[in-house]
Amino acid sequence: MYRLAPLALAFAMAPAFGADCSTTIDSNDAMRFDRDLIEISAQCEQFTLTLTHSGSLPVAAMGHNWVLAEESDIPAVAADAVAAGASAGYLAADDERVIAHTRMLGGGETDSVTFDVALLDADGEYGFFCSFPGHSALMRGRVVLVD
Ligand code: ZN
């Protein structure tokens, strides 16, 4: 029992130090994110999402952003984003349904966004998508709050 004690202590402490409050997701010229699930620890006060675009096409042809919203809001947010047009970065200005978003990227670019985890409700259903016209059908995923 004596020899197990340090290991047990390490496990007990793991959650406090184990919460990773940032992550990176990549997008590409094939109109894909490299992940369809992002888990956010409820222990994080803030979470930072970094979007990379590993392709080479310009933003006008293959733009990608990362937009976080409630699942039920995403179809309308995506439609309004297309209507907002290229000059608005394909996202309606001050859309209150948008919880967080990066800017629209072209190939080789990177952007990060940091947001308060308290904006996410444990019972809520959240998703992320790219709001470039025609992309949200393929470029979609879930965001889940975990302990
Ligand atoms: Zn896109």
Side-chain angles (χ1 to χ4, degrees), residues 74-93 95 97 104 129 131-134 136:
I74 287 179
V77 172
D80 290 350
V82 173
S87 62
Y90 293 114
L91 204 60
D95 189 328
R97 298 165 299 187
M104 191 68 72
F129 68 103
S131 67
F132 193 91
S136 63

Side-chain angles (χ1 to χ4, degrees), residues 27-28 31-33 53 62-65 104-105 130-133 135-136 139:
S27 57
N28 60 29
M31 204 194 299
R32 294 283 187 181
F33 288 122
H53 187 327
M62 188 55 70
H64 300 312
N65 62 359
M104 191 68 72
L105 306 181
C130 170
S131 67
F132 193 91
H135 288 198
S136 63
M139 302 186 72

Side-chain angles (χ1 to χ4, degrees), residues 15-88:
F17 297 102
D20 188 352
C21 300
S22 64
T23 196
T24 298
I25 184 168
D26 185 52
S27 57
N28 60 29
D29 284 347
M31 204 194 299
R32 294 283 187 181
F33 288 122
D34 66 347
R35 301 162 60 183
D36 59 9
L37 175 65
I38 291 176
E39 294 185 326
I40 297 177
S41 170
Q43 297 173 48
C44 299
E45 282 190 30
Q46 293 190 308
F47 192 82
T48 298
L49 185 292
T50 299
L51 173 67
T52 59
H53 187 327
S54 61
S56 57
L57 292 171
V59 65
M62 188 55 70
H64 300 312
N65 62 359
W66 185 89
V67 181
L68 170 62
E70 285 194 51
E71 279 287 352
S72 58
D73 285 335
I74 287 179
V77 172
D80 290 350
V82 173
S87 62

